[in-house]
Amino acid sequence: DLDPLIPEPCVPFSLQIPNVVPAYLNLHYTCETGSRLLFSSVIWVSKLPVFRSLPDDCQVQILRSCWTELFVLGLAQSAPQLAFSTIVTSLVNCFKAAVVQEKLTAARIKLMADNISRLCDFVQNIQRIGVDDYEFAVLRLLLLFSTDNIRREPMRHSTSLEGIQDIACRCLRVHIDQSHHPSQSDRFAKLLLKLPALRTFNANTMEDLFFANLIGQVQID
């Protein structure tokens, strides 16, 4: 039973988008949306009893290690609300302007272009699969309690955390079997393969894309 790990009220992911939507989405609006998305991701995580049971320093370590993945996953889940394609257009236009003004090095240009491309691919792939709220919740749980995270001090000595991934995966498989057509026999594998894909996003570049207009040179950490 996944309920002790993700109680039913915690399954949905809620995002309050900015009330005033400009006729043309500018970078400030995109950054404001990004900040709300990051805040909503942290709020979602902080409601989990298993996460709240950890020492404060462990909670901080975990969030620092996977905030980018949580952010991208939240963006993919909220894409229909956010007019995602328009936000991407805004990012690309600002990116092009920075290139013309020679504000970026060649290395940063490549990183930003690669991240934008992979972000679009990831969101489109998630939408094609039709990931539901429960599946998104399990993916978040697996990100939080990845093997790397549960091996951190002092969590590595907690036997109660060792089985979280196994329980989450079993519940995910049961959910898929009960909720989706039998022809989707590869759905479980497709969902788990989203986890390594999420780890390919560069944290510094995501800061540049979604937060630089609000926080300047201050890092998310």
Side-chain angles (χ1 to χ4, degrees), residues 83-103:
F84 176 73
S85 60
T86 310
I87 288 178
V88 170
T89 299
S90 172
L91 290 174
V92 170
N93 288 338
C94 292
F95 170 63
K96 288 179 178 178
V99 171
V100 170
Q101 297 169 23
E102 298 183 347
K103 291 183 177 180

Side-chain angles (χ1 to χ4, degrees), residues 8-221:
E8 188 174 348
C10 295
V11 171
F13 180 77
S14 177
L15 173 67
Q16 182 180 4
I17 62 175
N19 292 326
V20 180
V21 181
Y24 177 79
L25 288 182
N26 55 32
L27 184 59
H28 180 79
Y29 178 85
T30 298
C31 291
E32 172 66 19
T33 301
S35 67
R36 293 186 182 210
L37 183 57
L38 183 61
F39 179 75
S40 295
S41 298
V42 173
I43 290 297
W44 188 93
V45 169
S46 67
K47 291 180 179 179
L48 296 178
V50 66
F51 185 79
R52 291 203 308 267
S53 69
L54 298 174
D56 290 347
D57 58 336
C58 291
Q59 294 181 26
V60 171
Q61 286 181 41
I62 288 177
L63 287 174
R64 280 180 172 172
S65 71
C66 63
W67 76 262
T68 309
E69 294 98 313
L70 291 171
F71 177 84
V72 173
L73 195 61
L75 182 61
Q77 186 171 5
S78 306
Q81 298 173 251
L82 297 175
F84 176 73
S85 60
T86 310
I87 288 178
V88 170
T89 299
S90 172
L91 290 174
V92 170
N93 288 338
C94 292
F95 170 63
K96 288 179 178 178
V99 171
V100 170
Q101 297 169 23
E102 298 183 347
K103 291 183 177 180
L104 302 173
T105 64
R108 285 184 69 192
I109 289 172
K110 185 178 186 306
L111 272 175
M112 293 180 77
D114 287 348
N115 272 259
I116 291 174
S117 176
R118 278 188 280 106
L119 187 62
C120 292
D121 289 344
F122 183 84
V123 171
Q124 290 170 3
N125 194 268
I126 285 288
Q127 291 178 332
R128 280 197 300 270
I129 295 174
V131 182
D132 62 33
D133 285 351
Y134 186 92
E135 292 165 338
F136 273 116
V138 174
L139 290 177
R140 283 192 182 87
L141 188 70
L142 291 172
L143 284 172
L144 290 169
F145 295 98
S146 66
T147 302
D148 289 341
N149 281 339
I150 64 175
R151 286 178 177 172
R152 296 174 185 272
E153 294 286 356
M155 290 179 288
R156 63 187 303 175
H157 303 299
S158 175
T159 56
S160 63
L161 300 180
E162 293 177 357
I164 288 180
Q165 285 202 357
D166 288 341
I167 295 172
C169 286
R170 286 200 302 270
C171 291
L172 178 60
R173 188 178 287 280
V174 170
H175 171 77
I176 291 171
D177 290 343
Q178 294 178 346
S179 305
H180 298 282
H181 196 274
S183 64
Q184 298 190 39
S185 58
D186 61 345
R187 186 178 184 85
F188 179 76
K190 282 183 176 179
L191 290 172
L192 292 187
L193 285 173
K194 297 301 113 188
L195 298 176
L198 283 166
R199 296 189 183 102
T200 65
F201 291 95
N202 181 276
N204 292 333
T205 303
M206 295 303 291
E207 288 180 18
D208 287 341
L209 289 172
F210 285 93
F211 303 103
N213 199 43
L214 290 180
I215 61 177
Q217 299 302 313
V218 179
Q219 292 185 324
I220 294 296
D221 283 355

